[in-house]
Amino acid sequence: MHTIVAKTQLSPNVTRLEVEARRIAEIRHPGQFVIVMSHEQGERIPLTIADFDRGKGTITLVIQAVGKTTREMQRDCHVGTRLSALVGPMGIPSHIGKARKVMCVGGGL
């Protein structure tokens, strides 16, 4: 199971979740995403892997509460919450060349 180990409110509708996901943290690449289901009857939603920590075995997801599912996640997901499903990493990794640090902004978040 994938458990939320940290939650930070970044703004009224933006939340940062750190999730235990050792295997995903080990193999993910920049630009990839995961599919998340917060509860058994929940909708499956894609979320970008915003950061990771291989040592701790965690990935970071940033959600913007704009629809039913993301509002539910912001309200109901707390430290200790186990996600019903977390699948990934998915998608074609972004090519960043030889750059040491890269920042990408998309979708206004």
Side-chain angles (χ1 to χ4, degrees):
M1 293 299 273
H2 301 286
T3 304
I4 296 171
V5 296
K7 179 180 180 179
T8 307
Q9 198 68 38
L10 302 177
S11 74
N13 67 335
V14 179
T15 304
R16 177 185 176 271
L17 299 175
E18 188 176 342
V19 181
E20 177 280 319
R22 185 160 304 282
R23 182 68 179 139
I24 295 171
E26 289 173 358
I27 64 173
R28 69 101 196 109
H29 293 285
Q32 291 188 303
F33 65 97
V34 291
I35 300 293
V36 179
M37 228 171 101
S38 62
H39 57 87
E40 292 276 331
Q41 291 75 35
E43 178 183 20
R44 294 177 301 215
I45 61 167
L47 294 172
T48 299
I49 302 169
D51 201 1
F52 72 103
D53 185 322
R54 282 192 180 105
K56 290 175 22 181
T58 60
I59 61 170
T60 300
L61 307 173
V62 178
I63 58 170
Q64 184 175 19
V66 293
K68 177 183 181 287
T69 300
T70 50
R71 283 194 303 271
E72 285 176 354
M73 287 182 71
Q74 183 183 43
R75 182 190 68 224
D76 301 337
C77 290
H78 303 285
V79 173
T81 298
R82 291 183 179 193
L83 301 174
S84 289
L86 182 69
V87 180
M90 303 178 103
I92 299 170
S94 300
H95 176 72
I96 58 171
K98 295 182 182 190
R100 295 183 70 174
K101 290 188 178 186
V102 177
M103 182 173 119
C104 299
V105 178
L109 178 60

